[in-house]
Amino acid sequence: MRAASRSRVSGRSGGFRESGRSRRFGNAVIAAVTVVALCAGALLLRSGAETHPPPQPSAAQARTGQDGTGRDRGLPAAPALPPSPPDRIRIPAIRVNAPLTGLGLTPVGSLEVPPADRENLAGWYGAGTMPGEQGTAIVAGHVDNADGPAVFHRLGALKKGGTIEVDRRDGGVAVFTVDAVEVYAAKGFPDEKVYGAAGRPELRVITCGGGYSRATGYQGNVVVFAHLTGSR
C-alpha cells in the first residue's frame, strides 16, 4: 500500500490487546502506506503469467449516490458489534476463503504485510478497528507472488452489492455489503477517504492494482469499500 507513515504506534500484530481508545485512533498512523510491499508483480510477470493480469474495477463500480456525509446510499447499516478479533475472510463472488493474521507497523511506521509466500493469507490492521466495530477496519493482502495469483488477485472483479463475510473470534460472523470498488494511483492516494473515521461499521479491503511497470511494479491500489449489513 504507499510510502511509509511519519507516525507510529507501539506494539505489533495482535494490537487488539490495546485499549479501545488506541484502536479507535489507530488508522491515523497508516494515513500513508506503501503499494510496493503488497505487490510481487515483477516476479509474477517474469514467471510467464503476462496473459493473466489481475482484473481492475470499472468506472461503474465507483462510489455514487453519496449523501452529505460522503457515504454511499444503499442497504442500511446494521448495529455495531462488540470488539472481537477476526479470524477469516470470505468473499464468495471471487472465491476468497482465507485466514487472517494481525498486522502491525514496521520500524519506519508503515503497515506490515502478510508473508508473500503464503498466497492464501490476508491480514488486518490489529491496532485499528476490528471488523464489525464502529469505525473503519482495514484488511490487506497480496495480489500475486512469485508463483502466481495470491489471495486478492481477483479483488478488482468484485462488484457493488457483493457480500464479504468475516469470521470473528467470538464465534460470530460479520456480514458486509460492498458499496464501491475503486482503483487509485499511488501518487495522490486518498488517505482520508480510505482510512478516515466512520460513524458506522465499515470495512476496506486493499491490494495492488492500477498500471504496471516492470521497473517499479504496480502503480496503485484496488480498494473495496463496504459496510456492515448483518451478522449471525
Side-chain angles (χ1 to χ4, degrees):
M1 294 172 352
R2 214 162 34 83
S5 171
R6 291 186 294 272
S7 302
R8 303 176 187 177
V9 297
S10 60
R12 292 179 58 80
S13 58
F16 53 83
R17 295 186 183 88
E18 300 180 18
S19 70
R21 179 179 174 83
S22 296
R23 287 187 291 99
R24 279 197 298 274
F25 294 98
N27 284 4
V29 303
I30 55 168
V33 289
T34 175
V35 170
V36 177
L38 278 176
C39 306
L43 295 174
L44 176 60
L45 290 186
R46 283 201 295 270
S47 74
E50 293 96 335
T51 57
H52 301 286
Q56 302 298 300
S58 69
Q61 303 310 313
R63 301 182 78 137
T64 57
Q66 295 178 340
D67 60 24
T69 67
R71 179 184 301 160
D72 285 87
R73 301 187 185 98
L75 292 175
L81 301 174
S84 180
D87 286 330
R88 179 168 290 271
I89 184 170
R90 293 189 302 276
I91 311 177
I94 56 172
R95 297 185 177 89
V96 168
N97 186 345
L100 288 165
T101 185
L103 301 175
L105 298 178
T106 69
V108 297
S110 61
L111 185 66
E112 293 177 334
V113 297
D117 60 350
R118 296 186 60 184
E119 69 277 358
N120 194 45
L121 179 68
W124 69 286
Y125 180 45
T129 302
M130 298 181 194
E133 277 191 287
Q134 179 175 315
T136 304
I138 307 297
V139 171
H142 293 283
V143 69
D144 54 41
N145 66 13
D147 298 318
V151 59
F152 290 148
H153 189 261
R154 290 190 50 76
L155 194 66
L158 193 58
K159 302 197 182 309
K160 292 179 183 179
T163 297
I164 300 173
E165 297 184 344
V166 177
D167 292 351
R168 294 165 27 108
R169 195 81 45 87
D170 61 8
V173 178
V175 181
F176 296 85
T177 296
V178 174
D179 297 314
V181 186
E182 301 192 353
V183 60
Y184 304 109
K187 186 175 182 179
F189 187 88
D191 300 324
E192 180 60 29
K193 181 178 180 180
V194 175
Y195 299 112
R200 62 179 183 174
E202 298 196 6
L203 178 69
R204 306 289 184 264
V205 185
I206 306 172
T207 194
C208 291
Y212 180 84
S213 162
R214 285 183 178 273
T216 59
Y218 292 100
Q219 303 300 296
N221 289 100
V222 170
V223 181
V224 172
F225 296 81
H227 72 282
L228 187 74
T229 52
S231 63
R232 62 179 187 271

